[in-house]
Each structure stands twice: as structure tokens, then as C-alpha cells.
Amino acid sequence: MSADEAALAAAEAAYVESRGVVGGEADGDDRAVEAALRPTSLAEVIGQERVREQLSLVLEAARARERAPDHVLLSGPPGLGKTTLAMIIAAEMSTPLRLTSGPAITHAGDLAAILSGMNDGDVLFVDEIHRMSRPAEEMLYMAMEDFRVDVVIGKGPGATAIPLEIPPFTLVGATTRAGLLPGPLRDRFGFTAHLEFYEVGELDQIVRRSAGLLGVDLTDEGAAEIASRSRGTPRIANRLLRRVRDFAQVRADGVVTLGVAHQALDLYEVDESGLDRLDRAVLDVLCRRFAGGPVGVSTLAVAVGEERETVEEVAEPFLVRCGFLARTPRGRVATPAAWQHLGLTAPANAPFGSPPAVSAGEPGLFDTDE
């Protein structure tokens, strides 16, 4: 493992530790288990029907033409199956899969070394492709379009560019932030797919399938309880299943029932809506201390004892998606659903997503950084 890959793995491990069992990123243990749970063909994939159908057509047409498929860009939040789909693409085309990540490609030479080892029809998977260095990105343009790269030897006026031909290959790029991809790179992908969060029914099927592979004795009610708290993410569903399995083995008879799942998930501080300790802390501070807002994110971060980036990038997206929190130009605001979730009665002047009217030049309530 390179120094860049080691640093990325350490950062992901710290992220997972800070999020407990509901973090979307995968640590080392998650990757090991996911390898055994991943579907190996499009027919085995649960959910993402539109993406599966579109991708199936792309791969079937490529097989009929006996050519490498177009380059594929997969976007979406962590844990929804981007890496799994990349592996399936290689399996469906019966070709090897080369894996790397954007942060690991820091120089154009790193990319040139990877591409020079590609064979005809190989699939190259680049995770977090938006974090690739700019020189490597510019080299990738020519590789994707013309299947060649120019390797520069020497420096200054005596530098020489040697063209290096590359066998036709398929690049599969994955990103959690598609907006950070430059237009020229995004336009070179022949097929682009955005993965959506999963429905509870789909997660229920995933939990049952994983339980069968892991040998977990699971009831229908237990599977439904785990699925309902999984935040629409298969990776979290599988992680919760393993934690509930541990609880059932140690503190029950080994069978994951509704009651066992409920007790286990309460122990791990994952409530009925999938909110964890940090999520509830943000809502609690927003409602109890700041009367529902509006309040700046820096103030919220100080109040819950976390960094601003943690609150803004880790807690807020799920709270907004669930309808518990609203982002307004004046600050963060608790919605009626947030007050109800906490079992609190909202004051009569609670903003509920619309900042209160103020006089010209008058600062908003608790509005410190917006």
C-alpha cells in the first residue's frame, strides 16, 4: 500500500469511528465482509432498477460488438454499491479489474504506470476520481479518448514527449461529489449513472440475503427493523446486521427477532429513524438551546462539541434528507418533524424553515456565520 493509500485508509477509519455504526464509509473490517456479501452479477443486484437496466444494455451491446464498453461514471453517496457495480462490469465482460483511487494518483507518472500495464479490454476502476491530481487528470483525457498517453522524458528545452499506445480499456470512475468533476472529464464518459438511496423494502431483501450468507438466524420482523434504521444504505444495513448478530449471540439465544434487534440498535444509539448520537445532539441543541433557529453551523458545532466540517458534511445531509432540518440563508432551522421526533412542543414563534422578518441591517438570531 502506498503512503497516499495508507493516509486515505486512516482517514476513512477515523470517519467510521466518529460515526459509529451508521457511517457511510467502509473501514478494513467492512471491506473484508463486503467482499463476501457483494453480488457477482447484475441479476443478483437488489434495487437500482433503472441503473441496472441501462448498464445491462451497455454491456450486452459491447459483448455483441466484441469491444470494450464505453467508459462508465458512477456517482452517489457512500455505501450504495459503486464499487460493487465496477466489479460486476468486469465480471460480466470476463475481463480483469484494476483498482486504484483518485488520492493515490498524485502525479501523471502514477497514471502512466497504471495505464501501461493495461491489456486489451481490461476494466480500470478509479474510486473518488474527483480527487485525482490535475496533471494526471489531463493525461487521462487523452487516454480515454485516443487510448494513448504522452510520456515526457527530461526537463526544460530538452524534454521529449514519447507517445505510448494503450490497448482499448474501460474506465469506471466513482465519485461521491460529481459536481467537483471538471466538465472535460465528465463529458468523456459514455455512460453516467447516479445511484439513489434504497427503499426500506429493498434493504429488507439485502438484509435477508446477507443473513443467509453470514449464517444469521433472522426473523422477518428482525430484518424489517434493521432495514428501517439503515438510512437507505446497504453498507449500513450490513453493518447493523453484524452488530445485531453479535448482540443476539451474547445476550440472547442467537436468533435476531424484533425485540432483539430493537434492544441491540438502542444499545448502539441508532433510533427508529436511523439517527445516531450526533444527529440527535444537533437537533437537541437546535431546539432546546436556540428555539429552533435560525442558527449558524459554527455555533451548532461548538454547542455539540464537534468540528464545523463534521456537523456540515456528516450530520446535516441526513437530517435535511429526513426533513428534520432546513438550511436557510439565515442559518439552520428545525422543522416541525424535528420537534415531534424529540418529543418537544415547538414555541409559537418557531421559524419552521422560514427565517423571521427583521429590520434592515438587523442581524438574525444566533446568526453568526451564514
Side-chain angles (χ1 to χ4, degrees):
M1 178 182 290
S2 69
D4 294 312
E5 290 173 319
L8 176 62
E12 289 181 347
Y15 175 91
V16 172
E17 182 178 358
S18 69
R19 292 301 284 155
V21 294
V22 295
E25 298 289 350
D27 61 8
D29 292 338
D30 283 328
R31 291 193 180 95
V33 175
E34 284 177 2
L37 299 181
R38 293 185 194 277
T40 57
S41 67
L42 285 176
E44 296 180 17
V45 175
I46 298 171
Q48 308 293 345
E49 287 86 359
R50 182 60 60 86
V51 173
R52 284 194 291 122
E53 184 178 359
Q54 294 172 345
L55 189 55
S56 176
L57 287 173
V58 171
L59 299 181
E60 188 174 346
R63 286 195 298 267
R65 294 192 300 267
E66 297 184 351
R67 298 183 59 183
D70 287 343
H71 304 300
V72 176
L73 177 63
L74 304 172
S75 64
L80 298 187
K82 297 185 291 295
T83 303
T84 297
L85 285 179
M87 293 181 174
I88 289 175
I89 290 173
E92 295 274 356
M93 298 303 298
S94 301
T95 58
L97 175 68
R98 309 289 184 91
L99 294 96
T100 187
S101 63
I105 305 176
T106 57
H107 306 287
D110 299 332
L111 180 63
I114 294 172
L115 294 175
S116 63
M118 300 287 289
N119 297 316
D120 190 13
D122 282 1
V123 175
L124 173 62
F125 175 61
V126 182
D127 197 13
E128 295 299 307
I129 193 172
H130 65 272
R131 298 173 61 185
M132 187 184 299
S133 68
R134 182 55 60 88
E137 191 177 272
E138 292 175 351
M139 175 180 284
L140 190 58
Y141 296 162
M142 185 178 297
M144 295 174 67
E145 203 161 43
D146 301 328
F147 297 108
R148 74 180 182 90
V149 295
D150 290 335
V151 180
V152 179
I153 299 178
K155 296 182 179 180
T160 304
I162 300 177
L164 175 64
E165 298 295 328
I166 303 170
F169 70 98
T170 298
L171 173 66
V172 180
T175 176
T176 56
R177 307 184 69 178
L180 296 183
L181 280 178
L185 177 59
R186 189 167 52 246
D187 292 344
R188 282 172 168 79
F189 286 96
F191 173 70
T192 301
H194 180 77
L195 275 61
E196 303 288 347
F197 287 101
Y198 288 63
E199 299 294 335
V200 174
E202 296 169 342
L203 291 172
D204 186 278
Q205 298 179 53
I206 291 173
V207 169
R208 292 168 188 270
R209 176 182 180 276
S210 299
L213 294 174
L214 294 175
V216 179
D217 195 351
L218 179 70
T219 66
D220 294 345
E221 295 79 7
E225 183 70 9
I226 295 172
S228 66
R229 303 195 192 195
S230 298
R231 303 165 75 105
T233 306
R235 178 177 292 156
I236 296 176
N238 288 329
R239 187 181 299 152
L240 292 181
L241 173 64
R242 302 201 310 275
R243 298 291 72 81
V244 174
R245 173 200 59 185
D246 296 343
F247 183 93
Q249 178 181 343
V250 175
R251 298 192 180 180
D253 60 359
V255 180
V256 178
T257 63
L258 174 61
V260 169
H262 193 87
Q263 293 178 54
L265 294 173
D266 284 348
L267 176 65
Y268 287 107
E269 299 183 286
V270 181
D271 68 18
E272 292 82 356
S273 298
L275 274 61
D276 70 349
R277 179 202 60 81
L278 177 59
D279 300 323
R280 289 192 302 274
V282 170
L283 290 185
D284 191 74
V285 163
L286 183 57
C287 293
R288 293 182 188 272
R289 298 191 191 177
F290 301 113
V295 55
V297 65
S298 292
T299 305
L300 274 179
V302 171
V304 299
E306 296 284 354
E307 296 293 329
R308 171 186 173 131
E309 291 75 15
T310 302
V311 172
E312 192 170 25
E313 299 178 11
V314 177
E316 282 191 352
F318 184 66
L319 293 175
V320 171
R321 184 161 63 89
C322 290
F324 292 139
L325 182 144
R327 289 173 170 173
T328 74
R330 300 288 301 281
R332 275 49 175 176
V333 173
T335 66
W339 291 92
Q340 183 179 0
H341 185 78
L342 295 176
L344 301 175
T345 301
N349 62 344
F352 294 152
S354 299
V358 295
S359 303
E362 180 184 351
L365 184 63
F366 310 121
D367 187 15
T368 60
D369 60 348
E370 296 300 320

